Amino acid sequence: MNKPTTNRGSRGPRKAPSGKPSGKFSGRSARPSADPTRDLAFDIVCGVVEHRRMLETTLDRAGAMEARDRSSAHRLAATTLRHMGSMTELLQPLLRREPPEPVRCALLLGVAQLLHLETPPHAAVGTIVDLLRRRGLAPFAGLANAVLRRVSREGATLREGLDEARLDVPPWLWSAWGARARAISRGLHREAPLDLTLQPGAAVPNDGEELPTGSVRFPAGTRIAELEGFEDGAFWAQDVAAAMPVRLMGDVSGKTVVDLCAAPGGKTAQLAHAGATVTAVEREAPRAERLRENIKRLKLETVQVVEADALTWKPKDAVDAVLLDAPCSATGTFRRHPDVLWIKRPRDVVALAEAQDNFIDAVRDMLKPGGMMLYAVCSLQDEEGPERVAAALERGGWRLDPFSEDELSSMAAARTAEGYFRTHPGLWQDRGGMDGFFAARLIRV
Ligand SMILES: C[S@@+](CC[C@H](N)C(=O)[O-])C[C@H]1O[C@@H](n2cnc3c(N)ncnc32)[C@H](O)[C@@H]1O
């Protein structure tokens, strides 16, 4: 596992002689107890802050550990990343000098435990002090003790007047989201529930909440593999918004459909269950493997999986429809991946938008005249949604086929004036929110 750099630069308290606890902590045991949960959460948060390393990458590198510790670490790190902007602001007046980045990360984990995870104060403070000592940062243990105790006593007062929704979103995203920004940010503060798409005719698993669109919802933290019916392929995980693009393709029964950029295969499964003859194209070998596994679990062996680059691959014969779930910034999935919030940069969106135009042009050559492209992205950015459709219409060869009120009656808030499908995490807040998605239907002319 990569260890974050410690004691970088000259800012912050001077380092105490190696391993020796300093100040108030001189009476504590020199050997803090092992705590794989905090260690891993610390590595995740430092990885994001210092190296723009994705949460999943650090998790993958963590090696063998108890599943419970791993999932607690994931939850602690994700909660910290969700509230990172406002907690950083809250800490500012409590710090006389800028601490080294790893110390700040440890403090943020402590504040998250105190203010957002209801960890008892003695445990929230003690675990962070021990963490610092384990990670060669003992000289900062006194600082952490003082700061976190103050947060535990005065947290409510310290939070007063902080615009947390605004602070917990990087400024470039806040301005890009315009009027939607505050609602989106509020939605991002909540952990995403588990949504399932059911195989046609499958029974709703016990305790699942049926949503108006047909998806079934379970509270955040539910383990899908433990639900009855999982092994039999009765359902698969798919956010309520992510399940809509295929529904918006209308009746695909008996049609030839290419699912471009298909892994892990949620939409492939929907298309196959709807009776389409599906070719699923995926470029990344490990993801294609996962797609095959999912297809097998769901008993959808009629799907043809092709491992190829969607930009150059062509079907043997032109097809009736293409679902282009294009690679995108994935800003719509920040609820599930709060690390990405702090990793993505504006230039990533620019590069992705360029690639999306290329994918759209490639799709045109796959379709029969009159064939349909369902363009979808799990992005909240205008550049990847409405602007890509406008650019395609401008280049020519397409006609927009707007979604009707009837088609979107189960999720009316998602229909835009242009007839696009557009969601964000602030929608359906009383039901637990949803991911951000954009979809549009275009016809080859
Ligand atoms: C947004 S995900 C697709 C999610 C999928 N449609 C689903 O519903 O489960 C995008 C996928 O596109 C794949 N991809 C990226 N570039 C590609 C390319 N040039 N050709 C084919 N697949 C590509 C990625 O590996 C990734 O699996």
Side-chain angles (χ1 to χ4, degrees):
M1 190 193 310
N2 266 1
K3 297 272 188 325
T5 1
T6 54
N7 283 324
R8 286 183 316 149
S10 56
R11 291 180 299 180
R14 266 188 335 124
K15 196 171 190 245
S18 68
K20 293 236 173 73
S22 64
K24 285 183 183 169
F25 288 85
S26 51
R28 290 177 65 104
S29 148
R31 227 186 255 178
S33 49
D35 184 348
T37 295
R38 267 78 181 192
D39 278 340
L40 179 53
F42 176 70
D43 287 336
I44 291 172
V45 173
C46 286
V48 172
V49 170
E50 294 197 289
H51 310 293
R52 291 182 179 269
R53 189 193 306 130
M54 310 250 304
L55 181 154
E56 295 291 339
T57 307
T58 307
L59 267 188
D60 288 348
R61 291 180 185 176
M65 68 191 284
E66 294 278 334
R68 211 184 40 186
D69 290 339
R70 181 183 287 264
S71 93
S72 303
H74 184 284
R75 179 153 185 257
L76 171 54
T79 304
T80 304
L81 294 166
R82 255 184 213 116
H83 299 277
M84 192 155 77
S86 57
M87 295 192 305
T88 302
E89 190 76 11
L90 176 143
L91 282 172
Q92 213 53 43
L94 311 186
L95 301 168
R96 251 177 283 150
R97 319 179 211 180
E98 288 291 312
E101 215 60 90
V103 174
R104 187 192 299 285
C105 292
L107 291 173
L108 291 170
L109 291 172
V111 179
Q113 293 188 124
L114 286 165
L115 301 185
H116 301 294
L117 288 168
E118 291 165 15
T119 310
H122 67 278
V125 179
T127 52
I128 298 308
V129 166
D130 281 350
L131 169 75
L132 288 169
R133 294 172 68 214
R134 273 197 309 281
R135 305 308 286 260
L137 294 164
F140 297 93
L143 170 80
N145 181 58
V147 167
L148 294 177
R149 278 181 196 281
R150 183 144 173 226
V151 174
S152 99
R153 283 194 312 270
E154 300 171 27
T157 318
L158 291 167
R159 285 175 83 176
E160 265 171 29
L162 284 187
D163 186 350
E164 297 190 13
R166 174 89 173 79
L167 291 164
D168 286 329
V169 169
W172 73 276
L173 283 169
W174 184 272
S175 49
W177 294 342
R180 300 171 299 160
R182 190 162 293 280
I184 292 175
S185 180
R186 290 213 182 98
L188 297 181
H189 275 154
R190 299 176 64 175
E191 246 179 293
L194 169 69
D195 289 346
L196 305 180
T197 301
L198 303 191
Q199 204 184 99
V204 175
N206 283 343
D207 303 327
E209 178 201 351
E210 267 190 276
L211 298 175
T213 57
S215 292
V216 175
R217 179 158 282 188
F218 285 85
T222 306
R223 289 170 201 269
I224 187 170
E226 289 170 12
L227 296 176
E228 206 182 328
F230 175 77
E231 289 301 334
D232 304 331
F235 48 77
W236 57 95
Q238 192 173 39
D239 184 84
V240 64
M244 293 300 290
V246 170
R247 298 199 176 115
L248 294 170
M249 290 177 80
D251 183 4
V252 291
S253 174
K255 295 197 171 151
T256 47
V257 179
V258 168
D259 180 6
L260 275 190
C261 307
K267 298 182 190 71
T268 313
Q270 283 182 288
L271 287 166
H273 277 305
T277 303
V278 187
T279 306
V281 182
E282 170 59 47
R283 187 185 59 180
E284 307 300 326
R287 291 182 63 85
E289 191 45 40
R290 203 168 144 216
L291 172 63
R292 285 190 198 95
E293 282 164 20
N294 284 336
I295 284 170
K296 197 164 160 213
R297 180 179 69 81
L298 299 170
K299 303 181 179 73
L300 294 170
E301 274 92 356
T302 56
V303 172
Q304 194 201 348
V305 176
V306 177
E307 212 175 296
D309 186 337
L311 288 170
T312 48
W313 175 86
K314 296 244 173 333
K316 214 152 51 61
D317 300 305
V319 294
D320 297 313
V322 174
L323 168 63
L324 171 57
D325 192 10
C328 69
S329 60
T331 52
T333 66
F334 280 156
R335 294 186 312 161
R336 299 170 198 282
H337 305 290
D339 50 328
V340 185
L341 190 59
W342 305 103
I343 289 174
K344 284 283 173 217
R345 287 174 276 203
R347 65 169 182 256
D348 299 323
V349 175
V350 175
L352 285 158
E354 208 179 298
Q356 287 149 4
D357 285 346
N358 294 335
F359 280 108
I360 291 172
D361 291 347
V363 168
R364 200 171 169 281
D365 293 338
M366 300 178 194
L367 285 172
K368 294 177 183 168
M372 171 218 302
M373 169 176 71
L374 198 297
Y375 174 77
V377 276
C378 55
S379 168
L380 298 164
Q381 312 312 114
D382 288 345
E383 296 92 324
E384 298 182 273
E387 290 183 17
R388 295 287 54 75
V389 173
L393 294 171
E394 173 104 19
R395 287 195 301 281
W398 297 104
R399 160 175 79 75
L400 180 69
D401 184 12
F403 301 126
S404 69
E405 280 178 26
D406 263 9
E407 284 175 291
L408 275 169
S409 60
S410 58
M411 207 189 263
R415 188 170 169 274
T416 72
E418 301 88 343
Y420 300 145
F421 169 77
R422 200 167 198 196
T423 63
H424 64 72
L427 296 181
W428 278 14
Q429 271 310 295
D430 50 336
R431 290 194 167 104
M434 65 179 74
D435 282 351
F437 242 91
F438 172 88
R441 193 168 50 204
L442 282 85
I443 305 298
R444 182 189 158 165
V445 291

